[in-house]
Amino acid sequence: MNVTEAINSRHSVRGFLDKPVDDAVLKKILAVAPCSPSWACTRPWIYYVAKGEVLERIRQQYLALYNSGADRDNDIPTNPVWPDRENNNQFEWGRQRCRVQWNIDPNSKEAEEQNRFAVIKKNMRINAMKFFDAPAVLFPCMDKSLHTWALYDMGSASMLIQLAAHEAGLGCITAYHMGCYPKVLHKELHIPDNLAILLGIAIGYKDEKSIENKDKAVRTKIEDILTIVER
């Protein structure tokens, strides 16, 4: 698999096999992170991996907080309101998932379809709060005193990690919500308070039979994002 093949075939995985990932494999995957560029070679990357009993404890606490209606409290706050272009991209993907994975029309006015849609959305959120049952979850962290520009460095390294995992036969999904209850993560993973937990990257072996992996995200056409200027 060359680099271009890995990039084009990589996709987010939301269903994993109940199969552990060896520490040696995780270390090999994470070893690529320092190969990414960083501003002035500051190398802000710090990673914590949860697996086994501690990951199960985190799952249970996340589910309890979610079911209680607790507000998200990410170390890196965001306002989840998107410009029209990005908002349309998001909804296009959501509608595609509904049609392909669950054979449902999210725009249907029929009560039965709307009820099905509501149940599906709830199950999707619960699955997400369980980290998609992945056997390992990686939490990228950086010092809270760093400028937000360091997020670019963190993102570059995260992409390399996902490509390395793909090459190793593993699947990944990066999700902001995996860091939505940081107090749980700081406590369970002994992450110092000076570090901001950015998000989570669930890692594991892809469940080919899972309905969650039945479809892949829409890819934006290069013509829609590229402008070449010569004069």
Side-chain angles (χ1 to χ4, degrees):
M1 181 188 301
N2 62 38
V3 175
T4 302
E5 290 172 343
I7 292 171
N8 288 331
S9 59
R10 186 216 64 83
H11 66 94
S12 294
V13 172
R14 293 177 172 83
F16 297 90
L17 296 174
D18 183 16
K19 178 181 178 181
V21 181
D22 291 340
D23 288 354
V25 174
L26 289 171
K27 288 179 181 178
K28 182 178 180 180
I29 291 169
L30 287 170
V32 306
C35 296
S36 63
S38 67
W39 188 5
C41 203
T42 48
R43 295 168 283 180
W45 320 290
I46 299 174
Y47 299 100
Y48 287 79
V49 176
K51 54 187 300 191
E53 293 181 4
V54 68
L55 180 55
E56 186 56 31
R57 290 200 304 270
I58 292 171
R59 278 197 182 99
Q60 294 306 316
Q61 292 175 71
Y62 261 55
L63 284 171
L65 288 165
Y66 173 74
N67 289 328
S68 72
D71 292 332
R72 296 184 179 187
D73 189 29
N74 299 67
D75 281 342
I76 304 293
T78 184
N79 180 10
V81 177
W82 312 102
D84 289 343
R85 174 178 175 271
E86 286 74 14
N87 194 52
N88 289 335
N89 287 341
Q90 180 182 204
F91 275 100
E92 179 186 6
W93 166 224
R95 288 190 291 267
Q96 177 177 307
R97 287 189 69 191
C98 287
R99 290 191 298 268
V100 175
Q101 294 180 211
W102 297 288
N103 191 29
I104 189 173
D105 179 6
N107 298 318
S108 174
K109 303 300 182 183
E110 295 183 10
E112 184 177 349
E113 285 292 274
Q114 286 299 307
N115 289 336
R116 283 185 62 212
F117 186 43
V119 171
I120 287 169
K121 285 197 296 183
K122 181 178 180 180
N123 290 337
M124 287 171 60
R125 289 167 182 161
I126 290 175
N127 191 36
M129 287 298 157
K130 293 167 57 184
F131 308 118
F132 308 99
D133 290 322
V137 181
L138 166 68
F139 295 98
C141 303
M142 72 181 202
D143 195 286
K144 291 179 179 178
S145 66
L146 286 167
H147 188 275
T148 50
W149 180 259
L151 291 171
Y152 178 89
D153 303 340
M154 298 298 299
S156 296
S158 292
M159 190 70 254
L160 290 188
I161 290 168
Q162 292 176 77
L163 290 174
H166 183 42
E167 182 186 42
L170 295 165
C172 294
I173 182 168
T174 301
Y176 177 76
H177 75 266
M178 294 187 203
C180 70
Y181 300 125
K183 291 180 181 178
V184 173
L185 302 177
H186 280 282
K187 178 182 177 182
E188 292 289 351
L189 300 177
H190 309 291
I191 299 175
D193 290 339
N194 68 297
L195 297 183
I197 303 167
L198 307 188
L199 40 71
I201 304 176
I203 302 177
Y205 294 95
K206 179 181 177 182
D207 182 357
E208 298 289 352
K209 296 181 180 179
S210 172
I211 193 172
E212 294 284 357
N213 296 325
K214 188 177 179 181
D215 193 28
K216 297 180 182 179
V218 178
R219 301 301 188 194
T220 304
K221 296 179 181 178
I222 186 63
E223 293 81 8
D224 295 336
I225 61 174
L226 175 66
T227 300
I228 299 177
V229 180
E230 295 186 6
R231 293 185 179 87

